[in-house]
């Protein structure tokens, strides 16, 4: 009795977890009679059977007769399984592998539930059904006394024979019932664990895709940042030196990252060449000591302001406006050569060859572009590392390039306040 109550509770807990069915747990009551305890478990199993019958009828309506028979005989192909899975989802609102196992077991093992119910019913109608269940825990004399209190002495032998016959049927039915529940719970939990593992794997896969798209978007940002900095320097050149080494340049989303970086390098080279050329004119126009006062960062802004103001007056504006020499000297001494975007690394070509616009595609598209290039297959981890490698090469010089621009802009702003 105890084992059957426990097994029934385990079954209802499993059905609640995987099918969403709600059953109240049942408790063996030692103070209640044998019949009362039998009635409790019979009622619970009847509730389960009623739910199974409803599902069974709906599945019969949804499935072809031949497929329904295959289901009962555990003879489902992959295609049959998918059809059955959809039908279970339509009927029960759940479609996981664990739920499929549960429904399949309930439909195929209806006789097990029927047999155990029948066995309990025999106990519930037996001569000793009115005896309290707790009697079995008493000493032998007390057991005999309690039974005789409920059954006439002349009926005792008949009652014992009756229960002996019932036990011959009840024990194997109970074992089969309990073993079957243990087996299906094990199968269901295995499926659930596998699904959880697959879900966890899918989640990790999504996290990796998110990481990949963050990296590619960051790379896209830094390529554009090179163009933005370059155009701001061109504006400064045009404003203060009254010339422009190049027209404004813009990123082309349809071109490869490598081609975009090459174009911006070419313009940066023109800015550097113009700076060095103008720097030679500045050096020729003033004494080395005065030049150092413009070039060196340790000199006060008032001194720098006075020097460039005098220089502007002496050269009659041939070096641009009053800030022209300052811009020229700062850029010529800024090591602009070292902050140009590097595009020579052959090992990075698989990323640099991508069109710039492809860096902002969907995670699925980016994964496809980077993980399946020609005959080469890469994992998401490898693709992430590859993009991060490109970023590690491109980001530091770009940040330093921005520092050069910021320094020039800051000097112009601060010194203008001292002139």
């Amino acid at each position: 009795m105890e084992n059957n109550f426990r097994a029934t509770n385990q079954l209802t807990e499993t059905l609640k977890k995987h099918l969403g069915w709600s059953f109240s747990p049942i408790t063996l009551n030692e103070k209640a009679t044998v019949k009362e305890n039998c009635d409790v478990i019979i009622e619970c199993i009847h509730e389960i059977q009623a739910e199974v019958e409803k599902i069974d009828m709906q599945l019969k309506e949804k499935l072809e007769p031949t497929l329904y028979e295959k289901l009962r005989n555990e003879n489902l192909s992959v295609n049959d399984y998918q059809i059955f899975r959809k039908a279970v989802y339509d009927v029960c609102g759940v479609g996981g592998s664990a739920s499929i196992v549960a429904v399949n077991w309930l439909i195929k093992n209806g006789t097990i539930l029927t047999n155990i119910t029948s066995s309990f019913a025999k106990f519930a109608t037996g001569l000793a059904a009115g005896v309290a269940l707790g009697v079995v825990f008493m000493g032998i004399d007390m057991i005999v006394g309690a039974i005789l209190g409920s059954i006439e002495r002349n009926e005792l032998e008949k009652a014992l024979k009756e229960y002996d016959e019932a036990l011959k049927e009840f024990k194997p039915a109970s074992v089969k019932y309990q073993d079957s529940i243990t087996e299906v719970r094990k199968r269901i939990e295995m499926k659930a664990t596998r699904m959880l593992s697959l879900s966890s794997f899918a989640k990790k896969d999504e996290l990796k895709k998110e990481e990949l798209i963050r990296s590619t978007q960051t790379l896209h940002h830094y390529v554009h940042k090179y163009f933005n900095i370059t155009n701001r320097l061109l504006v400064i050149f045009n404003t203060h030196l009254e010339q422009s080494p190049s027209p404004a340049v813009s990123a082309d989303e349809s071109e490869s990252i490598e081609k975009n970086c090459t174009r911006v390098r070419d313009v940066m080279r023109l800015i550097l060449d113009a700076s060095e050329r103008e720097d030679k004119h500045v050096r020729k126009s003033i004494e080395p000591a005065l030049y150092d006062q413009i070039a060196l960062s340790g000199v006060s802004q008032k001194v720098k302001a006075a020097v460039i103001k005098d220089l502007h007056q002496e050269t009659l504006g041939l070096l641009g406006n009053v800030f022209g020499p300052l811009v020229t000297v700062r850029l010529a001494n800024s090591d602009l050569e070292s902050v140009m975007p590097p595009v020579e690394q052959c090992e990075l070509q698989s990323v640099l060859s991508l069109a710039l616009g492809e860096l902002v595609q969907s995670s699925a598209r980016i994964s496809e572009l980077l993980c399946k290039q020609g005959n080469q297959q890469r994992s998401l981890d490898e693709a992430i590392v590859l993009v991060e490698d490109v970023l590690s090469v491109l980001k530091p010089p770009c940040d330093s390039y921005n520092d050069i621009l910021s320094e020039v802009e800051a000097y112009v702003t601060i010194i203008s306040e001292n002139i």
Side-chain angles (χ1 to χ4, degrees), residues 122-123 159-170:
K122 288 181 181 178
F123 278 102
L160 292 174
K161 185 177 181 181
E162 180 184 85
Y163 270 82
D164 188 47
E165 289 297 320
L167 275 172
K168 288 179 182 178
E169 179 184 316
F170 182 60

Side-chain angles (χ1 to χ4, degrees), residues 145-192:
I147 292 176
L148 291 178
S150 299
I151 304 173
E152 295 295 332
R153 180 178 292 274
N154 62 353
E155 292 185 316
L156 178 58
E157 185 175 348
K158 181 181 177 182
L160 292 174
K161 185 177 181 181
E162 180 184 85
Y163 270 82
D164 188 47
E165 289 297 320
L167 275 172
K168 288 179 182 178
E169 179 184 316
F170 182 60
K171 286 172 70 175
S174 294
V175 170
K176 187 172 184 179
Y177 177 63
Q178 293 157 27
D179 287 350
S180 184
I181 290 175
T182 299
E183 177 62 25
V184 74
R185 287 180 69 240
K186 186 186 298 182
R187 286 174 58 196
I188 288 172
E189 290 308 317
M190 283 176 63
K191 287 287 186 182

Side-chain angles (χ1 to χ4, degrees), residues 28 45 53 57 107 213 238 255 274 310 315 356 370 406 411:
L28 192 68
I45 294 175
E53 188 175 344
M57 288 179 64
I107 290 174
I213 202 166
N238 190 50
E255 282 187 349
D310 291 342
T315 58
L356 182 60
L370 288 171
S406 300
Y411 267 112

Side-chain angles (χ1 to χ4, degrees), residues 206-218:
E206 285 304 311
L207 289 174
K208 286 178 182 177
K209 285 182 179 179
E210 288 177 13
E211 185 180 354
L212 177 61
I213 202 166
R214 280 197 300 271
S215 297
T216 55
Q217 287 176 346
T218 302

Side-chain angles (χ1 to χ4, degrees), residues 32-49:
T33 64
V34 171
K35 181 181 185 308
E36 289 169 338
N37 278 288
C38 287
D39 288 344
V40 167
I41 194 168
I42 287 171
E43 182 181 357
C44 183
I45 294 175
H46 279 166
E47 289 177 6
I48 296 172
Q49 288 176 310

Side-chain angles (χ1 to χ4, degrees), residues 252-289:
D252 187 338
E253 297 288 328
S254 64
E255 282 187 349
S256 69
I257 301 168
E258 182 179 14
K259 285 185 178 179
N260 275 286
C261 288
T262 300
R263 284 196 302 111
V264 85
R265 275 176 69 99
D266 292 342
V267 177
M268 288 174 71
R269 169 61 62 188
L270 293 174
I271 292 173
L272 178 58
D273 291 344
S275 300
E276 291 176 342
R277 186 171 59 249
E278 293 300 316
D279 183 61
K280 290 178 181 178
H281 294 316
V282 174
R283 287 177 184 272
K284 289 178 181 179
S285 302
I286 57 174
E287 296 294 324

